[in-house]
Amino acid sequence: MQIQDLPYPDPGVPDARSGPRFLWWLGRNQLRGQFRSLAWGLLHFVSVSALPFCVGFAVQAVVDRSGSRLALAGGLMALACAGNAIGDTFLHRAAVTNWITAAARVQQLLARKAALLGSALTRRVAAGEVVAVSTGDVEKIGWFVEAVSRFTAAAVSIVLVCVGLVVYQPALGVVVAVGLPVLAVAVLPLLPRATRRADFQREKAGRATELASDTVAGLRVLRGIGGEELFLDRYRRASQEVRHAAVRSARMWSLISAIQVLLPGLLLIAVVWYGVHLARQGRITVGELVTVYSSVMILTYPLRHFEEIAMAYSFSRPSARRAARVLALERVTSAEGSREADLPSGDLYDPASGLLAPAGRLTAVVCGDPDAAGRLAERLGGHPTEAGASALLGGVPLDELPLDSARTAVLVQDKDPVLLSGSLRELLDVPASGDVGAEEALAAAQCGDVLTALVQGSLDTEDPMDARITERGRSLSGGQRQRLALARSLITDPEVLVLDEPTSAVDSHTEARIAEGVRNLRAGRTTVVFTSSPLLLDRADRVVLVHEGEVAAVGVHRELVHKEPRYRAVVTRETEDEATLSGALDKLDELDELDEIEETA
């Protein structure tokens, strides 16, 4: 896979049982790129390692006054330099390709998982952790994947050089062959502690990211209640904890780096001392001493890759563990489905609660618990967060449909819809039936003042459809964001539209017009609205009261307000004392009616 071929047609099914297994799965799926990087790495490191032999051969040729051997040494040196340049260039290219393609594979897997789980993802994993996994963690995972091949090439080159030195000059070659493995494993006792410190640092950084994400998402609310300083202090403390953990981790890695500088220096001193001793005895030539000395100096370069692979693994392991935890999440119901992709039609029914939304009608649902209402809305959409019986559309269980078909048939707009940055035209460019245009949807959602505000806030833009919307629509009020999100949902024109508190941030006058607009635009289509607003409830064809997870009453708004105390308590926000007084007054009215009947009789 080359960078220009991205994205992957199919990123595959990851092994998400653990972080190391996930890393191993990534490596296996990039064997071709790994072998390519290994081949260029071997060319690079072997060419670098061959330079000392060329230098030693040239020095000995000068000592022996042999012009032919000096010319041969020059040719070999030129060949080694060419191999070094070519190998280094293409090694870098192959390594970066491995890094980017591995990161792209992980990002595609995360995006696919987010699309599969929908709103259930952030209910099961903190939003800040999802952000951390899809940004910094992806880079660290890619770093380890690409570092494996370079480390392997460096290790193979060191083995080849050691074998060559033993054959070339056994006396000094044995010293180097014994000393280099000692250098490579000398830092192993320190790696577990360094890894633990790196894990601790990543954990602290993840918590700080979660806190920052949650704070930014709720900044408008924090300003309203004056809680900015409280959360700012929390983030300061979390940031300082990250800093202290990073300093402790850096100290350990600095110690490992120092050891890998000190020990090769000691080995070099030992080789020079012993080599001079052998040269004085006439057991080795000057050229051989220069060759071994230069080889030890050159080998400190591939030895650095032992430190890098250890650091890459220690940083990527917690990142891979977090990614595997997200990728291991599954939908409560089947993701594939066992039926054909034909879209069903008919009544929408939830067996768990007994909620029935007749086809082609506007059904309003009143639920005193907002969280329970959100879970019920998700269940009606076919992607519940809890196990249970599937909702039925026209008698067909939604979890037996392919996921795309289920989401095409039933669209759920939650109570906090997200507006992506871009133009209004791009925001409303969604899969749709084509029967509802943008102007109709915007008019039904009462977005006239929103369009005016967008034009005023955009420079050199006269067409509202070309006006820019900031990230998450932060430049708009809560009611304006709700209306744009409602217009986007209306444009899709699904068979069933489920709206969870679509007008909670809208004033009453606008809400009344929205209720009428939605009713007219969705005529003949099944619409379910979770709300406690009397203005919306009064325009519904059917009102359902859900109490403690089950349907408690069914009727129309005006009827339920007078006959159902629990409904009245939710809709009118009555306190217990007010509800008791209202019930007593209702009984007095009934007694008065009975008295009038008796007097008439």
Side-chain angles (χ1 to χ4, degrees):
M1 172 65 71
Q2 296 298 315
I3 295 176
Q4 63 265 24
D5 298 326
L6 294 174
Y8 287 93
D10 180 12
V13 179
D15 186 348
R17 289 176 290 177
S18 65
R21 287 178 182 271
F22 180 60
L23 291 174
W24 174 246
W25 177 84
L26 278 177
R28 290 202 324 267
N29 280 270
Q30 293 193 219
L31 286 180
R32 184 175 180 180
Q34 295 287 355
F35 281 124
R36 184 184 296 113
S37 180
L38 175 61
W40 291 118
L42 285 173
L43 176 61
H44 169 58
F45 288 117
V46 170
S47 298
V48 170
S49 302
L51 287 174
F53 292 91
C54 297
V55 172
F57 189 67
V59 169
Q60 191 60 42
V62 172
V63 171
D64 296 340
R65 298 180 182 276
S66 173
S68 59
R69 282 190 293 164
L70 182 61
L72 177 61
L76 293 175
M77 191 174 297
L79 185 63
C81 289
N84 178 22
I86 295 173
D88 190 25
T89 299
F90 286 94
L91 169 62
H92 179 74
R93 178 186 176 91
V96 171
T97 299
N98 287 337
W99 188 334
I100 294 177
T101 52
R105 186 187 295 273
V106 178
Q107 286 178 327
Q108 281 188 245
L109 290 171
L110 292 171
R112 186 174 67 180
K113 183 61 66 174
L116 177 68
L117 295 177
S119 60
L121 175 61
T122 52
R123 294 180 184 271
R124 300 167 69 178
V125 180
E129 182 170 352
V130 177
V131 173
V133 170
S134 58
T135 53
D137 286 340
V138 167
E139 292 185 6
K140 290 178 175 57
I141 292 171
W143 176 28
F144 173 75
V145 171
E146 70 88 10
V148 169
S149 55
R150 289 189 290 110
F151 162 74
T152 304
V156 172
S157 300
I158 289 174
V159 172
L160 292 177
V161 171
C162 289
V163 172
L165 286 176
V166 171
V167 174
Y168 178 73
Q169 176 42 249
L172 282 177
V174 171
V175 176
V176 176
V178 173
L180 284 178
V182 174
L183 297 183
V185 301
V187 297
L188 288 181
L190 299 177
L191 289 180
R193 181 177 297 181
T195 301
R196 286 195 300 270
R197 291 190 179 185
D199 290 352
F200 184 73
Q201 177 198 351
R202 294 297 303 164
E203 180 182 351
K204 291 293 183 181
R207 291 179 180 176
T209 302
E210 291 176 20
L211 181 59
S213 176
D214 294 341
T215 302
V216 172
L219 189 58
R220 187 183 296 271
V221 177
L222 291 176
R223 286 175 177 171
I225 63 176
E228 306 104 303
E229 288 299 325
L230 174 62
F231 275 78
L232 185 58
D233 288 340
R234 289 182 180 178
Y235 182 74
R236 284 196 187 104
R237 290 195 297 271
S239 179
Q240 289 301 312
E241 290 177 358
V242 174
R243 183 178 69 84
H244 291 308
V247 169
R248 293 184 70 248
S249 178
R251 286 173 180 170
M252 184 56 63
W253 288 112
S254 298
L255 177 60
I256 292 175
S257 298
I259 291 175
Q260 291 213 321
V261 171
L262 174 64
L263 294 183
L266 295 177
L267 177 62
L268 192 60
I269 293 173
V271 168
V272 171
W273 178 83
Y274 186 53
V276 170
H277 176 70
L278 294 178
R280 285 180 175 178
Q281 295 179 348
R283 296 171 57 184
I284 64 172
T285 64
V286 175
E288 291 173 338
L289 176 59
V290 171
T291 297
V292 177
Y293 169 79
S294 302
S295 297
V296 175
M297 289 192 65
I298 290 293
L299 287 178
T300 57
Y301 168 56
L303 275 175
R304 301 293 297 180
H305 289 76
F306 285 78
E307 176 191 351
E308 183 191 8
I309 194 65
M311 183 179 293
Y313 180 71
S314 66
F315 277 89
S316 65
R317 190 180 66 172
S319 297
R321 184 171 61 245
R322 276 192 293 271
R325 185 164 58 244
V326 174
L327 295 175
L329 297 175
E330 296 292 342
R331 293 183 73 228
V332 176
T333 56
S334 171
E336 297 297 332
S338 56
R339 291 178 177 263
E340 298 295 329
D342 296 336
L343 295 182
S345 61
D347 298 342
L348 180 64
Y349 177 67
D350 175 43
S353 63
L355 172 63
L356 174 66
R361 302 179 66 185
L362 173 60
T363 302
V365 181
V366 176
C367 186
D369 183 358
D371 292 335
R375 291 192 295 270
L376 178 54
E378 290 176 345
R379 201 158 61 238
L380 291 176
H383 40 91
T385 56
E386 300 174 350
S390 171
L392 307 176
L393 179 59
V396 177
L398 290 178
D399 64 358
E400 293 184 7
L401 291 173
L403 184 59
D404 292 343
S405 300
R407 289 184 174 174
T408 300
V410 183
L411 174 66
V412 179
Q413 176 183 304
D414 61 24
K415 59 173 61 69
D416 187 23
V418 175
L419 301 183
L420 301 178
S421 59
S423 68
L424 180 58
R425 194 184 310 277
E426 293 170 339
L427 175 71
L428 300 181
D429 184 16
V430 293
S433 66
D435 295 335
V436 178
E439 293 184 1
E440 297 175 275
L442 291 168
Q446 300 299 310
C447 294
D449 62 315
V450 184
L451 300 182
T452 303
L454 288 174
V455 172
Q456 292 175 349
S458 301
L459 298 176
D460 302 327
T461 300
E462 297 181 359
D463 187 353
M465 299 300 291
D466 295 326
R468 301 294 298 178
I469 298 174
T470 58
E471 181 186 4
R472 298 181 68 92
R474 298 191 188 282
S475 60
L476 303 173
S477 67
Q480 290 173 330
R481 290 197 299 270
Q482 276 191 337
R483 283 178 280 166
L484 284 180
L486 176 59
R488 180 178 58 187
S489 299
L490 292 174
I491 287 177
T492 60
D493 191 34
E495 179 71 24
V496 179
L497 177 60
V498 180
L499 303 172
D500 189 3
E501 294 289 354
T503 59
S504 59
V506 177
D507 64 83
S508 58
H509 297 289
T510 305
E511 188 176 34
R513 294 194 296 269
I514 290 175
E516 196 63 34
V518 171
R519 179 183 176 86
N520 294 334
L521 191 63
R522 292 285 301 173
R525 292 289 209 180
T526 307
T527 308
V528 181
V529 182
F530 287 82
T531 183
S532 59
S533 167
L535 294 171
L536 288 174
L537 295 169
D538 192 43
R539 286 164 175 79
D541 299 317
R542 192 167 186 265
V543 178
V544 179
L545 171 65
V546 177
H547 181 68
E548 295 183 354
E550 296 182 353
V551 172
V554 179
V556 294
H557 171 64
R558 297 174 187 269
E559 174 186 332
L560 292 175
V561 164
H562 291 92
K563 293 185 177 181
E564 179 55 58
R566 291 173 295 185
Y567 178 85
R568 183 170 56 247
V570 175
V571 173
T572 64
R573 278 78 169 178
E574 282 184 343
T575 63
E576 292 185 4
D577 293 340
E578 291 172 338
T580 302
L581 178 59
S582 179
L585 292 176
D586 289 342
K587 290 183 179 179
L588 287 176
D589 290 339
E590 292 176 2
L591 291 175
D592 289 341
E593 291 178 2
L594 290 174
D595 290 341
E596 291 177 2
I597 294 173
E598 290 177 357
E599 289 176 1
T600 303

